[in-house]
């Protein structure tokens, strides 16, 4: 799944250049696949290394060791760019020292709409805040909830998502960015691990429901135009199909290599965009500019993997094997 993750990270980067695909924001579509992948991978990880309640704290350490090393590196790099290069951005115009410090904790960014709109150093890292929110609850769900409860939680989450879809609550926040309306997406990803008949029925129900909602949105333009409705639905449809196919893929060094670049590309591309805009007068990203962006972002990600992420891998292995 490494190549797939890198493609998703590249789509997020492309979306931040202002490019869309037939009116669809490719970054939003990609982020939904990240949710599904996260649910799938976390379920594997917990079942393999952290399936006892005493190991939950170790699971949290494992996730911190995954998220923070490169994140902190790019937080400092982005902060330096913003300060020394006088970067002007709609994502940072309300940044102050207190909000800057809160950015470092990741989790508060998942609730940026309540405190940090205009104060995100790495704008796309709000989704890492949502990931951390999911990490906090998923071991408890998997260990203490029987299958029918998990499907019940998914149903409640889907109802909240429907409220967002119909505009009864904010479609952006509750249909895309906050856990109450997105938990079912993570749990759909989780269901790929056991993959029994109940899990297959669960995914089929979600998939067909999402297809029906997209078709209904096509017929009712107000729903189609509601913020991120169509992208989230398309992201779920494509994501379920892709994860279903890729879960059968075999490990390869090449796939691992590209996967290792994905997190760095996800984190660093705004830095590259700002530099291109500030020093190379790029105002509109054409095909050539996008190619330069992705190449530079991958090169920077390769360096941060070698010198930041790879040393942290040893820590994560010690955490995992220390539990077992």
């Amino acid at each position: 799944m490494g190549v797939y993750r890198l493609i998703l990270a590249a789509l997020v980067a492309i979306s931040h250049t202002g490019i869309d695909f037939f009116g669809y924001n490719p970054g939003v579509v990609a982020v939904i696949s990240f949710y599904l992948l996260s649910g799938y991978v976390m379920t594997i990880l917990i079942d393999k290394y952290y399936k006892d309640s005493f190991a939950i704290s170790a699971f949290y350490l494992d996730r911190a060791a995954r998220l923070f090393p490169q994140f902190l590196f790019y937080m400092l790099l982005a902060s330096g760019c913003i300060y020394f290069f006088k970067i002007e951005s709609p994502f940072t115009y309300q940044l102050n020292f207190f909000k800057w410090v809160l950015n470092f904790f990741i989790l508060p960014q998942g609730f940026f709409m309540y405190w940090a709109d205009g104060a995100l150093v790495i704008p796309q890292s709000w989704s890492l805040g949502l990931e951390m929110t999911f990490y906090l609850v998923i071991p408890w769900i998997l260990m203490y909830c029987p299958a029918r409860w998990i499907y019940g939680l998914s149903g409640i989450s889907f109802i909240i998502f429907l409220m967002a879809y119909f505009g009864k609550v904010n479609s952006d926040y509750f249909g895309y960015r906050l856990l109450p309306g997105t938990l079912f997406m993570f749990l759909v990803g989780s269901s790929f691990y056991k993959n029994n008949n109940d899990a297959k029925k669960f995914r089929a129900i979600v998939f067909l429901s999402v297809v029906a909602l997209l078709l209904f949105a096509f017929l009712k333009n107000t729903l189609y135009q509601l913020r991120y409705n169509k992208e989230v639905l398309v992201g779920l449809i494509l994501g379920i199909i892709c994860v279903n196919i890729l879960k059968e893929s075999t490990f390869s060094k090449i796939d691992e290599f590209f996967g290792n670049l994905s997190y760095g590309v996800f984190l660093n591309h705004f830095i590259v965009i700002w530099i291109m805009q500030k020093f190379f007068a790029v105002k509109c990203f054409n095909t050539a500019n996008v190619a330069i962006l992705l190449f530079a972002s991958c090169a920077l990600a390769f360096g941060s993997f070698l010198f930041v992420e790879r040393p942290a891998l040893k820590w994560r292995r010690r955490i995992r094997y220390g539990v077992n």
Side-chain angles (χ1 to χ4, degrees), residues 86-123:
K86 309 298 181 187
I87 298 296
E88 296 181 358
S89 166
F91 299 105
T92 59
Y93 74 99
Q94 292 197 56
L95 193 64
N96 57 36
F97 180 76
F98 175 71
K99 292 180 178 180
W100 176 71
V101 170
L102 280 182
N103 271 260
F104 280 88
F105 293 94
I106 300 182
L107 183 62
Q109 294 192 42
F111 307 92
F112 78 93
M113 64 288 294
Y114 300 116
W115 68 274
D117 205 8
L120 291 175
V121 177
I122 302 176

Side-chain angles (χ1 to χ4, degrees), residues 178-237:
L178 293 173
L179 193 63
T182 60
L183 178 61
F184 80 95
M185 304 179 196
F186 289 98
L187 294 178
V188 167
S190 175
S191 73
F192 280 103
Y193 178 57
K194 295 291 185 181
N195 209 32
N196 53 32
N197 287 334
D198 287 342
K200 291 176 181 177
K201 289 177 184 177
F202 168 55
R203 289 198 302 275
I205 290 170
V206 172
F207 184 85
L208 293 174
S209 298
V210 168
V211 169
L213 290 174
L214 183 60
L215 292 174
F216 187 64
F218 274 120
L219 298 174
K220 193 170 179 62
N221 191 56
T222 53
L223 295 178
Y224 188 77
Q225 297 301 329
L226 209 56
R227 188 170 176 83
Y228 298 145
N229 258 359
K230 60 184 184 294
E231 287 90 350
V232 170
L233 295 170
V234 169
L236 280 167
I237 293 168

Side-chain angles (χ1 to χ4, degrees), residues 5-15 34 262 265-266 293-294:
R5 296 203 319 269
L6 182 58
I7 291 171
L8 296 178
L11 289 174
V12 173
I14 290 169
S15 74
F34 276 130
S262 61
V265 170
F266 176 80
L293 163 64
L294 295 179

Side-chain angles (χ1 to χ4, degrees), residues 13 41 52 62 79 87-88 141 175-176 186 188 198 205 235 250 274-275 277 281 285:
V41 173
D52 297 315
D62 181 300
S79 298
I87 298 296
E88 296 181 358
I141 291 174
Y176 174 50
F186 289 98
V188 167
D198 287 342
I205 290 170
T250 55
W274 289 336
I275 290 173
Q277 291 173 333
F285 279 79

Side-chain angles (χ1 to χ4, degrees), residues 15-33:
S15 74
H16 291 140
T17 66
I19 294 173
D20 63 42
F21 296 166
F22 306 104
Y24 285 73
N25 184 316
V28 177
V29 175
V31 166
I32 301 303
S33 274

